[in-house]
Amino acid sequence: MNQTDYWQKVHLKYSQQDWSKQPNIFATDAVTYFPKTGKILDLAAGLGQDSKYFSSLGYNVTTTDLISPSQVVDLNNPLPFSNNSFDIVYSHLGLHYFSQDRTKQLFEEIYNTLKVGGVFCSIFNLVTDPEIPELTKIDTDYYQTAEGINKRFFSPESLKQMLPKEFKILLLDNNGKTIKDGDGRLVRLVCQK
Ligand SMILES: C[S@@+](CC[C@H](N)C(=O)[O-])C[C@H]1O[C@@H](n2cnc3c(N)ncnc32)[C@H](O)[C@@H]1O
């Protein structure tokens, strides 16, 4: 199955779940770090529930994903946005699917896309995720699922090493949660340009 078909099926499955109709827990954490107004870029937004929440708060949101009806942005390719153009870049469990080189490059592009003083907020699956024993290892912290999807897992330390050094870290811990996964712990990141 190719990646687009796989994610289309996942989106259909998610759309039938009640949790997909409300903002994620991390979205409500992240807004406390946002400037009061401004432009948000939501990467790998899925069904867009966090984008809708941010819009309801008055932000100007660009919602992107590999799958439409979001603006289609494949994060394997360079971000198609001008430098210094967003106040906030946000991604909820969306930056997992790339090699170490592409992930570092993507973080660099996110940095460039932000205005000075802008914030990057994202949440990630942890290196101790219970899903890992079912996966095939490709590289350090990088695995392939049975469906052929490559997936990277993070720790606060590995994430810090991959980020551009110019970012000022405001929050980096493993206390993140989702409604979907209950008590499972996730890495939360908020950093500022
Ligand atoms: C775990 S889901 C998270 C979706 C949403 N942010 C949420 O938390 O509900 C991962 C998302 O990444 C998107 N995705 C996967 N590969 C991608 C790629 N190469 N470029 C952009 N988005 C991608 C999928 O379509 C999916 O919506």
Side-chain angles (χ1 to χ4, degrees), residues 95-111 120 124-125 127 139-142 151-167 169 172 187 189 191:
L95 307 180
H96 283 277
Y97 309 106
F98 315 103
S99 68
Q100 178 154 314
D101 283 354
R102 178 61 198 141
T103 306
K104 282 186 180 171
Q105 182 62 36
L106 183 54
F107 289 156
E108 195 77 45
E109 290 166 14
I110 288 170
Y111 182 87
F120 169 39
F124 303 84
N125 287 110
V127 284
D139 197 357
T140 308
D141 300 336
Y142 198 40
K151 185 165 177 185
R152 173 170 301 286
F153 294 80
F154 294 85
S155 64
E157 297 72 27
S158 69
L159 196 48
K160 195 172 175 182
Q161 285 191 358
M162 296 176 93
L163 288 170
K165 298 289 168 260
E166 295 82 1
F167 265 130
I169 292 176
L172 181 58
V187 181
L189 169 71
C191 53

Side-chain angles (χ1 to χ4, degrees), residues 121-150:
C121 303
S122 192
I123 187 163
F124 303 84
N125 287 110
L126 195 54
V127 284
T128 54
D129 194 286
E131 183 190 3
I132 290 178
E134 295 157 26
L135 309 179
T136 306
K137 188 163 182 170
I138 308 171
D139 197 357
T140 308
D141 300 336
Y142 198 40
Y143 297 83
Q144 189 165 74
T145 69
E147 296 85 4
I149 301 296
N150 294 349

